[in-house]
Amino acid sequence: MEYSADILIIGGGLSGTMLAVQLLRQPGQRKILIIEPRAELGRGEAYSAVELGHTLNGNAARMSVDPDNPDDLTQWLTEHIAAGGWPESAEQHVPTSELFPPRGLFGVYVQQRLAEARAVGARYGSIVEHVRSEVVDLQVREDCVQLTLSNGQNLQGSFAVIATGMFPAARTPQTESSGLNAAALDPWDVAAMRQLDPQSTVLIIGSGLTMVDAVVSLEQAGHRGPIEVFSRHGLLPHVRRQPPAWVDFLAEDHSIRTPRQLLRELRRHCREAVAQGIDWQAPLDTVRAHIGRLWSQANDVQRRQFVRHVRPWWESHHHRSPPLSAELLARLHSEGRLRIQAASFKGLVPTTEGGVNIRIRRRGEVETSVVHGAALINSSGIEYDWRRVARPLPKQLLARGLVQPGPLALGIAAVDGAVMDAEGRVASRLFAMGPPLRGMWWESTAVTDVALQAKALAQRLVH
């Protein structure tokens, strides 16, 4: 059976849901289908978390889904808390705008905004429906886009939007698998962690925000043993603070174009801030609004230099940890239970004694060594290279030449959201938004990024 719509949205996490919200707010009658295998829209990987300890890594003032109202989440939280929701918020002892809500609660907020947009759309005669399935193939016809679903159903629409969100390395099948995921615990599976000996040693690969989540999960599961973390550079995310405003030096000086120039100027401003008794995070936070411009105007050599030499420090300084999680990590480190080591993961080693063995090479050493633990967690972050993602749709899109890898093989290539095929032709019916455009904008995953892209793309699709 073939089912028709005006717009097909592939993925119903934050990206797909925000696009639907923006489309429903536009005058005119249209039918929108969101194809998402999860039971709920608006959650995706990030906001399906159920533990209160898994919080946003940005405060409410930074996480509005409404690009026209930066206080939208703060206002929603104020009403929600006043109505008796999230009583634990009082433990943070800060104004509502500075709260770090649980990710599951943020999912509720997104769903409420979708419900309100449905009511607006209904007045125009627009509807959105959730098709609970996975898209496994896509073909672009002259007059439509046709999708094939995992249940055998076919859908067709005038336009299709790839809003597949992020592919967490811990949950994504890889084309060249090391077997890591098969041997590892899910970083967010608290129930599985409760089955461990509370005093046992747990090994974690990766030291970014996924690792922070994994440590929170272990703590909530009652784990009280050693935690050994291995990452190439041994860098931890800094804690997110609320610094005062700083001059937007990139808006004032457009001669800053290369990663080297940016680093030099940013360090100078950070030194000035510290000398004035101001948090160094203040100058850093002004850079955020200019990353898309700086990335797009850089050449591939400069981008490669950034990814190879600057990226680890950018990630640890910019993608910061929420305060409560940072406090937990600091406590465990001071107790000697949490140890961070600069070492590369080199593979699994068979063991007959239970638990798991991994081979690592510590930074500065030539020889590898084997480390044993009762359990292993893959916290290596997000897989942005679609060529390595063993999911049906990315594989088919690449095989058909309907998409091409983005710069440095990050996500897929696009022009103003319109997908670029293997021959460099820009599609007129196939679009993308959010994390798949990582290579085009570098920062294409944050809530504010997604909200702005959703608004712009909705206006393009409508007009």
Short mmCIF file of all heavy atoms in Angstrom, two decimals, residues 246-250 253 256 258-274 279-288 290-291 294 306 310 313-314 317-318 320:
data_model
loop_
_atom_site.label_atom_id
_atom_site.label_comp_id
_atom_site.label_asym_id
_atom_site.label_seq_id
_atom_site.Cartn_x
_atom_site.Cartn_y
_atom_site.Cartn_z
N TRP A 246 30.35 39.08 27.61
CA TRP A 246 31.65 39.55 27.15
C TRP A 246 31.47 40.13 25.76
O TRP A 246 30.56 39.76 25.03
CB TRP A 246 32.65 38.39 27.12
CG TRP A 246 34.07 38.80 26.83
CD1 TRP A 246 34.72 38.71 25.64
CD2 TRP A 246 35.01 39.35 27.75
NE1 TRP A 246 35.99 39.17 25.74
CE2 TRP A 246 36.21 39.58 27.04
CE3 TRP A 246 34.96 39.69 29.10
CZ2 TRP A 246 37.34 40.12 27.63
CZ3 TRP A 246 36.09 40.22 29.69
CH2 TRP A 246 37.27 40.43 28.98
N VAL A 247 32.35 41.03 25.38
CA VAL A 247 32.26 41.67 24.07
C VAL A 247 32.32 40.61 22.97
O VAL A 247 33.12 39.67 23.04
CB VAL A 247 33.39 42.71 23.89
CG1 VAL A 247 34.77 42.05 23.99
CG2 VAL A 247 33.24 43.41 22.55
N ASP A 248 31.47 40.75 21.96
CA ASP A 248 31.44 39.81 20.84
C ASP A 248 32.55 40.21 19.86
O ASP A 248 32.32 40.87 18.85
CB ASP A 248 30.06 39.85 20.16
CG ASP A 248 29.88 38.73 19.14
OD1 ASP A 248 30.89 38.08 18.80
OD2 ASP A 248 28.74 38.53 18.67
N PHE A 249 33.76 39.77 20.15
CA PHE A 249 34.91 40.24 19.38
C PHE A 249 34.91 39.72 17.94
O PHE A 249 35.47 40.36 17.05
CB PHE A 249 36.22 39.86 20.09
CG PHE A 249 36.44 38.39 20.28
CD1 PHE A 249 37.18 37.66 19.36
CD2 PHE A 249 35.93 37.72 21.39
CE1 PHE A 249 37.40 36.31 19.53
CE2 PHE A 249 36.15 36.36 21.57
CZ PHE A 249 36.88 35.65 20.64
N LEU A 250 34.26 38.59 17.68
CA LEU A 250 34.20 38.07 16.31
C LEU A 250 33.24 38.88 15.45
O LEU A 250 33.41 38.96 14.23
CB LEU A 250 33.80 36.60 16.31
CG LEU A 250 34.87 35.63 16.83
CD1 LEU A 250 34.31 34.23 16.95
CD2 LEU A 250 36.08 35.63 15.92
N ASP A 253 35.36 41.96 14.45
CA ASP A 253 36.57 41.77 13.65
C ASP A 253 36.40 40.58 12.71
O ASP A 253 36.63 39.44 13.09
CB ASP A 253 37.77 41.56 14.57
CG ASP A 253 39.09 41.50 13.81
OD1 ASP A 253 39.06 41.60 12.57
OD2 ASP A 253 40.14 41.36 14.46
N ILE A 256 39.31 37.77 11.35
CA ILE A 256 39.62 36.47 11.97
C ILE A 256 38.89 35.38 11.18
O ILE A 256 37.67 35.30 11.19
CB ILE A 256 39.17 36.45 13.45
CG1 ILE A 256 39.87 37.57 14.23
CG2 ILE A 256 39.46 35.09 14.09
CD1 ILE A 256 39.33 37.76 15.63
N THR A 258 40.82 31.99 10.19
CA THR A 258 41.40 30.65 10.28
C THR A 258 41.36 30.14 11.71
O THR A 258 41.27 30.93 12.67
CB THR A 258 42.86 30.67 9.81
OG1 THR A 258 43.65 31.38 10.76
CG2 THR A 258 42.98 31.31 8.43
N PRO A 259 41.44 28.81 11.91
CA PRO A 259 41.49 28.26 13.27
C PRO A 259 42.64 28.83 14.09
O PRO A 259 42.48 29.10 15.28
CB PRO A 259 41.68 26.75 13.02
CG PRO A 259 41.07 26.51 11.68
CD PRO A 259 41.37 27.74 10.89
N ARG A 260 43.80 29.04 13.44
CA ARG A 260 44.95 29.59 14.16
C ARG A 260 44.66 31.01 14.66
O ARG A 260 44.96 31.37 15.81
CB ARG A 260 46.17 29.58 13.25
CG ARG A 260 47.48 29.92 13.97
CD ARG A 260 48.63 29.99 12.98
NE ARG A 260 48.82 28.72 12.30
CZ ARG A 260 49.58 27.73 12.76
NH1 ARG A 260 50.20 27.88 13.92
NH2 ARG A 260 49.71 26.62 12.09
N GLN A 261 44.07 31.84 13.77
CA GLN A 261 43.73 33.20 14.18
C GLN A 261 42.70 33.21 15.30
O GLN A 261 42.79 34.00 16.24
CB GLN A 261 43.19 33.97 12.97
CG GLN A 261 44.22 34.29 11.91
CD GLN A 261 43.60 34.87 10.65
OE1 GLN A 261 42.46 34.53 10.29
NE2 GLN A 261 44.32 35.74 9.97
N LEU A 262 41.71 32.32 15.18
CA LEU A 262 40.67 32.25 16.20
C LEU A 262 41.26 31.87 17.55
O LEU A 262 40.96 32.49 18.58
CB LEU A 262 39.60 31.24 15.79
CG LEU A 262 38.54 30.92 16.86
CD1 LEU A 262 37.76 32.17 17.24
CD2 LEU A 262 37.60 29.82 16.38
N LEU A 263 42.11 30.86 17.57
CA LEU A 263 42.70 30.41 18.83
C LEU A 263 43.53 31.52 19.47
O LEU A 263 43.46 31.75 20.68
CB LEU A 263 43.57 29.19 18.58
CG LEU A 263 42.88 27.83 18.64
CD1 LEU A 263 43.88 26.71 18.35
CD2 LEU A 263 42.24 27.59 20.00
N ARG A 264 44.33 32.19 18.65
CA ARG A 264 45.19 33.25 19.17
C ARG A 264 44.35 34.36 19.82
O ARG A 264 44.63 34.80 20.93
CB ARG A 264 46.06 33.82 18.05
CG ARG A 264 47.09 34.84 18.54
CD ARG A 264 47.83 35.50 17.38
NE ARG A 264 48.48 34.51 16.54
CZ ARG A 264 48.20 34.33 15.25
NH1 ARG A 264 47.29 35.08 14.65
NH2 ARG A 264 48.85 33.43 14.54
N GLU A 265 43.30 34.78 19.11
CA GLU A 265 42.48 35.88 19.62
C GLU A 265 41.64 35.44 20.82
O GLU A 265 41.46 36.21 21.79
CB GLU A 265 41.58 36.41 18.50
CG GLU A 265 40.91 37.73 18.80
CD GLU A 265 41.88 38.89 18.93
OE1 GLU A 265 43.08 38.71 18.61
OE2 GLU A 265 41.45 39.98 19.35
N LEU A 266 41.14 34.21 20.78
CA LEU A 266 40.33 33.71 21.89
C LEU A 266 41.17 33.60 23.15
O LEU A 266 40.72 33.99 24.24
CB LEU A 266 39.72 32.36 21.53
CG LEU A 266 38.88 31.68 22.60
CD1 LEU A 266 37.72 32.58 23.03
CD2 LEU A 266 38.35 30.34 22.11
N ARG A 267 42.38 33.11 23.02
CA ARG A 267 43.26 33.01 24.20
C ARG A 267 43.55 34.39 24.77
O ARG A 267 43.62 34.56 25.99
CB ARG A 267 44.55 32.29 23.81
CG ARG A 267 44.40 30.79 23.67
CD ARG A 267 45.65 30.17 23.07
NE ARG A 267 45.57 28.71 23.08
CZ ARG A 267 46.34 27.92 22.33
NH1 ARG A 267 47.23 28.47 21.51
NH2 ARG A 267 46.22 26.62 22.39
N ARG A 268 43.75 35.37 23.89
CA ARG A 268 44.02 36.73 24.37
C ARG A 268 42.84 37.26 25.18
O ARG A 268 43.02 37.83 26.26
CB ARG A 268 44.31 37.65 23.18
CG ARG A 268 44.70 39.07 23.60
CD ARG A 268 45.05 39.92 22.40
NE ARG A 268 43.88 40.30 21.63
CZ ARG A 268 43.06 41.31 21.96
NH1 ARG A 268 43.27 42.01 23.07
NH2 ARG A 268 42.02 41.61 21.19
N HIS A 269 41.61 37.04 24.67
CA HIS A 269 40.43 37.52 25.38
C HIS A 269 40.24 36.76 26.70
O HIS A 269 39.81 37.35 27.71
CB HIS A 269 39.20 37.38 24.50
CG HIS A 269 39.03 38.52 23.53
ND1 HIS A 269 38.30 39.65 23.83
CD2 HIS A 269 39.52 38.70 22.28
CE1 HIS A 269 38.34 40.49 22.80
NE2 HIS A 269 39.07 39.93 21.85
N CYS A 270 40.54 35.47 26.71
CA CYS A 270 40.40 34.70 27.95
C CYS A 270 41.39 35.20 29.00
O CYS A 270 41.05 35.30 30.18
CB CYS A 270 40.61 33.21 27.67
SG CYS A 270 39.24 32.42 26.80
N ARG A 271 42.61 35.51 28.57
CA ARG A 271 43.60 36.06 29.52
C ARG A 271 43.13 37.41 30.07
O ARG A 271 43.27 37.70 31.27
CB ARG A 271 44.96 36.21 28.84
CG ARG A 271 45.70 34.90 28.62
CD ARG A 271 47.16 35.14 28.27
NE ARG A 271 47.31 35.86 27.02
CZ ARG A 271 47.45 35.28 25.82
NH1 ARG A 271 47.44 33.96 25.72
NH2 ARG A 271 47.59 36.00 24.73
N GLU A 272 42.55 38.25 29.19
CA GLU A 272 42.03 39.54 29.63
C GLU A 272 40.91 39.36 30.65
O GLU A 272 40.84 40.07 31.66
CB GLU A 272 41.52 40.34 28.43
CG GLU A 272 42.60 40.95 27.57
CD GLU A 272 42.02 41.83 26.48
OE1 GLU A 272 40.80 42.13 26.54
OE2 GLU A 272 42.78 42.22 25.56
N ALA A 273 40.02 38.40 30.37
CA ALA A 273 38.90 38.16 31.29
C ALA A 273 39.40 37.72 32.66
O ALA A 273 38.98 38.26 33.70
CB ALA A 273 37.97 37.10 30.70
N VAL A 274 40.32 36.77 32.68
CA VAL A 274 40.86 36.28 33.96
C VAL A 274 41.56 37.41 34.72
O VAL A 274 41.44 37.53 35.94
CB VAL A 274 41.82 35.10 33.70
CG1 VAL A 274 42.53 34.70 35.00
CG2 VAL A 274 41.05 33.90 33.14
N ASP A 279 35.23 35.05 34.60
CA ASP A 279 35.36 33.66 34.17
C ASP A 279 35.81 33.59 32.71
O ASP A 279 35.25 34.26 31.84
CB ASP A 279 34.00 32.97 34.33
CG ASP A 279 34.10 31.45 34.31
OD1 ASP A 279 34.86 30.93 33.47
OD2 ASP A 279 33.40 30.80 35.10
N TRP A 280 36.81 32.73 32.41
CA TRP A 280 37.28 32.57 31.03
C TRP A 280 36.21 32.02 30.10
O TRP A 280 36.31 32.12 28.87
CB TRP A 280 38.51 31.66 30.98
CG TRP A 280 38.28 30.27 31.53
CD1 TRP A 280 38.60 29.83 32.78
CD2 TRP A 280 37.71 29.15 30.85
NE1 TRP A 280 38.23 28.51 32.94
CE2 TRP A 280 37.69 28.06 31.76
CE3 TRP A 280 37.20 28.94 29.58
CZ2 TRP A 280 37.19 26.80 31.43
CZ3 TRP A 280 36.69 27.68 29.24
CH2 TRP A 280 36.69 26.63 30.16
N GLN A 281 35.14 31.43 30.67
CA GLN A 281 34.07 30.91 29.83
C GLN A 281 33.29 32.02 29.14
O GLN A 281 32.63 31.78 28.13
CB GLN A 281 33.12 30.03 30.65
CG GLN A 281 33.76 28.74 31.14
CD GLN A 281 32.77 27.81 31.82
OE1 GLN A 281 31.56 28.04 31.81
NE2 GLN A 281 33.27 26.74 32.40
N ALA A 282 33.37 33.25 29.66
CA ALA A 282 32.63 34.37 29.07
C ALA A 282 33.08 34.66 27.64
O ALA A 282 32.25 34.70 26.72
CB ALA A 282 32.75 35.61 29.95
N PRO A 283 34.39 34.86 27.36
CA PRO A 283 34.80 35.06 25.97
C PRO A 283 34.52 33.84 25.09
O PRO A 283 34.12 33.98 23.93
CB PRO A 283 36.31 35.32 26.07
CG PRO A 283 36.53 35.76 27.47
CD PRO A 283 35.51 35.04 28.29
N LEU A 284 34.72 32.64 25.63
CA LEU A 284 34.50 31.43 24.85
C LEU A 284 33.05 31.34 24.38
O LEU A 284 32.77 30.94 23.23
CB LEU A 284 34.87 30.19 25.67
CG LEU A 284 34.68 28.84 24.97
CD1 LEU A 284 35.58 28.73 23.75
CD2 LEU A 284 34.94 27.70 25.93
N ASP A 285 32.11 31.72 25.23
CA ASP A 285 30.69 31.60 24.89
C ASP A 285 30.28 32.53 23.75
O ASP A 285 29.27 32.30 23.09
CB ASP A 285 29.82 31.85 26.12
CG ASP A 285 29.87 30.68 27.10
OD1 ASP A 285 30.38 29.62 26.72
OD2 ASP A 285 29.39 30.83 28.24
N THR A 286 31.04 33.60 23.50
CA THR A 286 30.68 34.48 22.39
C THR A 286 31.01 33.85 21.03
O THR A 286 30.46 34.26 20.01
CB THR A 286 31.44 35.83 22.49
OG1 THR A 286 32.84 35.61 22.26
CG2 THR A 286 31.25 36.48 23.84
N VAL A 287 31.90 32.87 21.04
CA VAL A 287 32.32 32.24 19.77
C VAL A 287 31.20 31.41 19.17
O VAL A 287 31.11 31.26 17.94
CB VAL A 287 33.58 31.39 20.01
CG1 VAL A 287 34.01 30.66 18.73
CG2 VAL A 287 34.71 32.25 20.53
N ARG A 288 30.35 30.88 20.01
CA ARG A 288 29.33 29.91 19.59
C ARG A 288 28.52 30.39 18.39
O ARG A 288 28.28 29.64 17.44
CB ARG A 288 28.40 29.63 20.77
CG ARG A 288 27.34 28.58 20.52
CD ARG A 288 27.99 27.22 20.35
NE ARG A 288 27.01 26.21 20.03
CZ ARG A 288 26.46 26.05 18.84
NH1 ARG A 288 26.79 26.86 17.84
NH2 ARG A 288 25.59 25.10 18.62
N HIS A 290 29.27 32.19 15.96
CA HIS A 290 30.02 32.42 14.73
C HIS A 290 30.63 31.14 14.15
O HIS A 290 31.28 31.19 13.10
CB HIS A 290 31.15 33.43 14.99
CG HIS A 290 30.65 34.74 15.49
ND1 HIS A 290 30.16 35.74 14.66
CD2 HIS A 290 30.55 35.23 16.76
CE1 HIS A 290 29.79 36.78 15.39
NE2 HIS A 290 30.01 36.50 16.67
N ILE A 291 30.45 30.01 14.83
CA ILE A 291 31.11 28.78 14.41
C ILE A 291 30.70 28.38 12.99
O ILE A 291 31.54 27.97 12.18
CB ILE A 291 30.81 27.64 15.40
CG1 ILE A 291 31.59 27.87 16.70
CG2 ILE A 291 31.17 26.29 14.81
CD1 ILE A 291 33.10 27.89 16.52
N LEU A 294 32.58 30.58 10.49
CA LEU A 294 34.00 30.29 10.47
C LEU A 294 34.28 28.95 9.81
O LEU A 294 35.22 28.81 9.02
CB LEU A 294 34.56 30.30 11.90
CG LEU A 294 34.58 31.66 12.60
CD1 LEU A 294 34.86 31.49 14.08
CD2 LEU A 294 35.61 32.57 11.96
N PHE A 306 41.88 21.81 12.38
CA PHE A 306 41.03 22.02 13.55
C PHE A 306 40.63 20.68 14.16
O PHE A 306 40.74 20.48 15.37
CB PHE A 306 39.78 22.81 13.16
CG PHE A 306 38.81 23.01 14.29
CD1 PHE A 306 38.96 24.06 15.18
CD2 PHE A 306 37.74 22.13 14.47
CE1 PHE A 306 38.06 24.24 16.24
CE2 PHE A 306 36.85 22.30 15.51
CZ PHE A 306 37.01 23.36 16.40
N VAL A 310 42.75 20.75 17.36
CA VAL A 310 42.00 21.62 18.27
C VAL A 310 40.76 20.93 18.83
O VAL A 310 40.34 21.20 19.96
CB VAL A 310 41.58 22.94 17.56
CG1 VAL A 310 40.83 23.86 18.50
CG2 VAL A 310 42.81 23.64 17.01
N TRP A 313 40.23 19.80 22.58
CA TRP A 313 40.15 20.91 23.54
C TRP A 313 38.86 21.71 23.34
O TRP A 313 38.27 22.18 24.29
CB TRP A 313 41.40 21.79 23.40
CG TRP A 313 42.57 21.14 24.07
CD1 TRP A 313 43.01 21.33 25.35
CD2 TRP A 313 43.45 20.16 23.50
NE1 TRP A 313 44.09 20.54 25.62
CE2 TRP A 313 44.39 19.80 24.50
CE3 TRP A 313 43.54 19.54 22.26
CZ2 TRP A 313 45.40 18.86 24.29
CZ3 TRP A 313 44.54 18.60 22.04
CH2 TRP A 313 45.45 18.27 23.04
N TRP A 314 38.44 21.88 22.09
CA TRP A 314 37.18 22.56 21.83
C TRP A 314 36.03 21.80 22.49
O TRP A 314 35.17 22.39 23.16
CB TRP A 314 36.94 22.68 20.33
CG TRP A 314 35.55 23.17 20.00
CD1 TRP A 314 34.48 22.40 19.60
CD2 TRP A 314 35.06 24.50 20.07
NE1 TRP A 314 33.37 23.18 19.42
CE2 TRP A 314 33.70 24.49 19.72
CE3 TRP A 314 35.65 25.72 20.42
CZ2 TRP A 314 32.92 25.63 19.68
CZ3 TRP A 314 34.85 26.86 20.38
CH2 TRP A 314 33.51 26.80 20.01
N HIS A 317 36.14 22.08 26.38
CA HIS A 317 35.89 23.42 26.88
C HIS A 317 34.50 23.94 26.52
O HIS A 317 33.91 24.71 27.27
CB HIS A 317 36.94 24.41 26.35
CG HIS A 317 38.26 24.31 27.01
ND1 HIS A 317 39.11 23.23 26.78
CD2 HIS A 317 38.91 25.12 27.89
CE1 HIS A 317 40.22 23.41 27.50
NE2 HIS A 317 40.12 24.53 28.18
N HIS A 318 34.00 23.55 25.35
CA HIS A 318 32.72 24.09 24.89
C HIS A 318 31.54 23.20 25.27
O HIS A 318 30.51 23.69 25.72
CB HIS A 318 32.74 24.28 23.37
CG HIS A 318 31.45 24.83 22.84
ND1 HIS A 318 31.09 26.15 23.02
CD2 HIS A 318 30.43 24.24 22.17
CE1 HIS A 318 29.89 26.35 22.48
NE2 HIS A 318 29.48 25.20 21.96
N ARG A 320 30.29 21.41 27.78
CA ARG A 320 30.61 21.32 29.19
C ARG A 320 29.59 20.49 29.97
O ARG A 320 28.46 20.29 29.54
CB ARG A 320 30.75 22.73 29.76
CG ARG A 320 31.79 23.56 29.00
CD ARG A 320 32.23 24.78 29.74
NE ARG A 320 31.29 25.88 29.70
CZ ARG A 320 31.27 26.83 28.76
NH1 ARG A 320 32.13 26.78 27.76
NH2 ARG A 320 30.41 27.81 28.82
#
